[in-house]
Amino acid sequence: MIGTFEDVMHNMEHGVYNFTKDGKCSKCGECCTNLLPMSEDEVRTIRRYIKKHNIKEQKHSYPAPLANPPAMDLTCPFLDESKESDKCVIYPVRPEICRSFICSDQNGARNNPKLMKGERFAVDVRETFFGCNKC
């Protein structure tokens, strides 16, 4: 057990995190961020999905809401932390970066040919889908 703890501490000190369960996604939500590379098609698909399913923005209690100036919520607005698992409320249409990200891989979603196809741009998810970048 000491060796395992030492390995975890070493990895954390070097920016390597592994939240997988037996090498597969544990659906913990640790990788869910507000800034993601997406294509126009992904944005359109997600917009249709949230409208069809009446999906509301998920707000998170961190960073500190009483900070001055107010801190931005940099967590993905589709991450429902109230759930034990299946936390992504747009899981069926989540962006390719989310589909291919492997948190046990130091490079995340590396060498994914789908991410190289088409033009992708940085998307402020909260602003793009809910029009509120300071919520």
Side-chain angles (χ1 to χ4, degrees):
M1 195 66 163
I2 301 284
T4 302
F5 179 73
E6 287 173 355
D7 290 343
V8 169
M9 291 304 294
H10 174 76
N11 286 343
M12 288 177 74
E13 288 169 1
H14 292 89
V16 178
Y17 299 90
N18 184 347
F19 297 104
T20 63
K21 187 174 185 178
D22 299 324
K24 295 182 180 175
C25 179
S26 65
K27 300 180 182 179
C28 67
E30 290 296 321
C31 63
C32 301
T33 181
N34 185 49
L35 300 172
L36 295 172
M38 287 190 216
S39 68
E40 287 288 342
D41 285 342
E42 289 173 316
V43 170
R44 279 192 297 275
T45 299
I46 293 168
R47 279 195 174 125
R48 282 192 302 268
Y49 188 85
I50 64 176
K51 183 176 182 180
K52 179 179 179 182
H53 297 278
N54 197 30
I55 292 175
K56 303 295 181 207
E57 174 184 16
Q58 302 293 308
K59 295 186 181 184
H60 308 93
S61 60
Y62 54 89
L66 301 176
N68 192 7
M72 290 176 56
D73 183 352
L74 296 177
T75 306
C76 181
F78 299 118
L79 173 66
D80 184 351
E81 293 178 312
S82 70
K83 298 166 106 184
E84 181 88 13
S85 66
D86 300 327
K87 295 179 177 192
C88 179
V89 296
I90 62 161
Y91 192 82
V93 296
R94 70 198 183 282
E96 188 60 42
I97 189 70
C98 301
R99 293 172 187 273
S100 59
F101 185 82
I102 302 170
C103 60
S104 64
D105 178 355
Q106 293 181 21
N107 296 315
R110 72 174 176 197
N111 300 325
N112 183 331
K114 288 183 181 178
L115 289 174
M116 304 308 158
K117 289 182 182 176
E119 198 165 313
R120 299 196 182 280
F121 54 97
V123 172
D124 179 327
V125 179
R126 194 170 301 281
E127 176 67 28
T128 300
F129 298 105
F130 299 104
C132 181
N133 65 0
K134 292 184 180 168
C135 296

